[in-house]
Amino acid sequence: MQNSHRFFSNTDCEYFPCHKTRRPERFNCLFCFCPLYFFEECGGNYVILDSGVKDCTTCLIPHTPEGYDHILGRLKARFAEIRKAGLEED
């Protein structure tokens, strides 16, 4: 896959890949920090540590080519919920 608006692989990054993977050629760096981190339910593979911190170490969703569609879908759905809630308050 080539670098584009949907996929970018920064193999020169000192942390590449930042998650263990058997397929580094499919590792997407576009969402270096997952935009869904603060979602209560993001759809990813995470655990909540005793400290309350969300540990996404084993989640590869943002780092796959398909992750772009997953993340944008979740963001669009959440924005629609926020807009609807705002309209109901008026």
Side-chain angles (χ1 to χ4, degrees):
M1 179 164 280
Q2 291 185 334
N3 290 339
S4 71
H5 74 281
R6 299 174 62 87
F7 182 92
F8 176 76
S9 188
N10 184 6
T11 57
D12 292 332
C13 176
E14 65 179 291
Y15 302 106
F16 182 86
C18 59
H19 294 263
K20 291 181 182 179
T21 178
R22 290 187 299 262
R23 302 186 66 192
E25 71 280 0
R26 289 180 42 90
F27 196 87
N28 192 355
C29 301
L30 182 66
F31 297 114
C32 183
F33 296 97
C34 184
L36 305 180
Y37 178 81
F38 292 104
F39 280 36
E40 194 169 314
E41 182 48 59
C42 61
N45 184 21
Y46 66 90
V47 295
I48 303 296
L49 303 176
D50 290 339
S51 63
V53 172
K54 188 177 187 180
D55 178 1
C56 306
T57 304
T58 59
C59 183
L60 287 173
I61 288 176
H63 301 297
T64 63
E66 302 80 17
Y68 180 87
D69 292 324
H70 174 84
I71 288 172
L72 260 56
R74 289 280 181 146
L75 289 173
K76 287 177 183 178
R78 182 66 182 125
F79 294 151
E81 290 172 10
I82 292 169
R83 277 193 302 276
K84 182 179 177 184
L87 292 174
E88 290 173 355
E89 290 178 3
D90 292 338

